[in-house]
Amino acid sequence: QGVYPIDRPTRTLTAMLARAGGIIIPPETAVITVTRGSHQGRIWFQDLYQRPSFDIALRNGDRILVQEDTRAFTVLGATGAQNRVPFQTQVLSAVEALAIVGGLNTNFADPTGVFVFRTEPAEIANAVLGRDDLVGDQRFVYVLDLTGPVGMFHARDFVIRDQDLVYVTEAPYVAWQKTLTALTGATGAAASIRSAANGGS
């Protein structure tokens, strides 16, 4: 961090970043913000090197901020882990999001019930529902069935966004097992009480 003069070797954004010592955060999640007067522009660090046209010429007074991506999603349900997870790449698919937390729990998960809860802006909500009367943010639930013929492809193409909630439901037999356990547990407890009462008489 510091104040650096703009001269011939450092007149571009990439050259100035190099002059300042480069970045110390993962390149995959590094975001570059340039503030010029009252205007701001943002770009992913990786895109900066992949698209030379974004390597702008700097001007006096420009401020450059390098920060790690702050986006995150939450995973709940029958997965390997349940947590709030930061993005690890610029674009993250539903399959990759599940893989980050250890995938579906093979003993409990229902692969036909992967839900993504999201708040969509009105323009997207109207487009998805074929309407034009919705105003303001709308709550949506997208359902992914990983067992269908193209289910995995849909999950691979479904992009996770900031603040999404991914919920994996339990398989029906798991709920049945829990019911049986509750019933047999209660029955066992009642039998123990009867046995104790009989033994004491």
Side-chain angles (χ1 to χ4, degrees):
Q1 303 184 49
V3 178
Y4 297 91
I6 299 175
D7 48 30
R8 182 174 294 274
T10 61
R11 67 178 182 273
T12 64
L13 180 55
T14 55
M16 185 61 76
L17 289 172
R19 170 68 180 81
I23 63 172
I24 58 174
I25 58 178
E28 298 82 5
T29 57
V31 180
I32 312 298
T33 302
V34 178
T35 302
R36 177 174 294 170
S38 60
H39 300 283
Q40 275 192 347
R42 300 182 68 198
I43 186 174
W44 293 92
F45 178 75
Q46 289 184 321
D47 287 347
L48 180 60
Y49 284 90
Q50 293 173 0
R51 303 179 184 180
S53 60
F54 291 155
D55 191 14
I56 61 172
L58 296 177
R59 296 181 183 175
N60 183 45
D62 283 353
R63 289 175 292 168
I64 303 170
L65 174 65
V66 182
Q67 59 186 154
E68 193 164 5
D69 184 16
T70 58
R71 297 175 303 161
F73 63 97
T74 303
V75 179
L76 297 174
T79 60
Q82 302 182 49
N83 206 344
R84 186 174 187 272
V85 185
F87 278 58
Q88 298 180 1
T89 57
Q90 182 176 340
V91 179
L92 187 69
S93 71
V95 168
E96 291 169 329
L98 291 172
I100 290 174
V101 296
L104 304 185
N105 188 315
T106 55
N107 295 321
F108 302 107
D110 180 3
T112 67
V114 178
F115 296 85
V116 179
F117 295 79
R118 174 183 299 168
T119 300
E120 296 282 22
E123 55 270 23
I124 294 180
N126 280 310
V128 170
L129 298 177
R131 299 170 57 172
D132 59 5
D133 59 330
L134 297 175
V135 179
D137 293 342
Q138 305 292 320
R139 294 177 177 177
F140 270 68
V141 181
Y142 298 95
V143 184
L144 301 173
D145 180 356
L146 304 185
T147 64
V150 293
M152 291 299 293
F153 290 100
H154 286 162
R156 183 197 64 184
D157 297 335
F158 189 93
V159 177
I160 298 297
R161 296 181 185 168
D162 186 29
Q163 303 304 319
D164 275 357
L165 168 61
V166 181
Y167 179 77
V168 181
T169 57
E170 291 183 337
Y173 73 86
V174 175
W176 176 240
Q177 278 186 329
K178 288 182 177 179
T179 303
L180 285 179
T181 300
L183 290 174
T184 56
T187 303
S192 297
I193 293 173
R194 284 197 301 270
S195 176
N198 292 335
S201 58

